Amino acid sequence: MNASGLSETAPVEDGGIATSQFRMGHGEFVRAMAARFGIRWIVLLAALVVAGGVAAAATADWRWAMASLMLALIVAPAAGAFLYFSYGLRRECYVNILPHSVIISPRGIDALVDRSVPDPEEEEQRPERPRHIESFGRHELGGYTVDPAGVTIAVGRPARGFLRLPYAAFTSVDDFRRAVEIMAAYREDGNQTSDKQ
């Protein structure tokens, strides 16, 4: 994750926390998507490739090896492309790989996305860069997981996705603590809603 200085953000409402601008690395994004949405298919493909190799070795029939290679070199990349187009381009996911800042408030999360291509030579001449706000209401947000690098918030309604928040994006420990308290309230609201249904 790359985090930079404080970005221009939308006004922060009372009780909200604004982060600095950051983005998720492409490799990290692919790994996170595969772990969240494609792990069953990856395990199945790996098992079939290994089974084909074992069958080829056991029967001394090269056709099993060819089938195994076809799975590894044709089916696996196609499955990866399907995963990317099915999940990676959704609004619930794509914001992670573009430079953005996040405002976490009791009503939900707003991601202020910088959709321009940075050019160091034009930066001084054009300080206003095109920005777009993706808003996720508290009813769309599910639980969160914490790991050594940051926090991942599940976006579950209306479509599946996730928002990644690195620790470096928060300006202070108190801001991070307050953000976690707000996100915990999202989870409690989600559990109460599911209990009523």
Side-chain angles (χ1 to χ4, degrees):
M1 292 256 184
N2 300 327
S4 60
L6 288 173
S7 64
E8 303 166 24
T9 60
V12 180
E13 66 182 51
D14 290 339
I17 300 296
T19 67
S20 60
Q21 191 175 75
F22 63 97
R23 64 180 283 281
M24 191 174 194
H26 295 286
E28 185 182 358
F29 180 66
V30 169
R31 286 189 297 276
M33 270 200 328
R36 286 187 164 272
F37 309 121
I39 195 69
R40 288 180 290 180
W41 299 109
I42 292 169
V43 169
L44 177 65
L45 273 173
L48 289 173
V49 168
V50 169
V54 169
T59 62
D61 189 349
W62 64 272
R63 291 176 290 186
W64 285 108
M66 288 298 291
S68 180
L69 283 173
M70 289 173 65
L71 281 172
L73 301 176
I74 297 172
V75 176
F82 179 77
L83 178 71
Y84 183 77
F85 285 113
S86 294
Y87 294 101
L89 296 179
R90 289 182 178 173
R91 68 182 274 273
E92 294 85 3
C93 286
Y94 88 90
V95 297
N96 290 301
I97 60 170
L98 295 175
H100 65 288
S101 58
V102 171
I103 299 173
I104 303 165
S105 67
R107 67 173 185 78
I109 295 179
D110 293 327
L112 185 60
V113 181
D114 183 354
R115 296 193 299 185
S116 66
V117 177
D119 185 357
E121 295 176 7
E122 293 182 11
E123 193 66 32
E124 296 175 6
Q125 301 163 356
R126 198 183 77 181
E128 296 281 331
R129 295 171 71 182
R131 297 184 183 271
H132 172 74
I133 295 178
E134 286 287 355
S135 295
F136 303 96
R138 66 185 300 144
H139 65 281
E140 297 177 67
L141 302 168
Y144 62 89
T145 56
V146 179
D147 59 59
V151 177
T152 304
I153 305 165
V155 180
R157 296 171 286 251
R160 293 172 57 196
F162 65 94
L163 294 172
R164 180 78 174 143
L165 300 174
Y167 298 130
F170 293 93
T171 56
S172 70
V173 175
D174 290 334
D175 281 355
F176 176 70
R177 187 176 296 121
R178 176 68 184 134
V180 170
E181 289 172 3
I182 294 170
M183 290 184 290
Y186 300 157
R187 180 184 285 182
E188 291 168 8
D189 287 351
N191 289 340
Q192 290 172 0
T193 304
S194 62
D195 291 342
K196 291 176 183 175
Q197 293 176 350

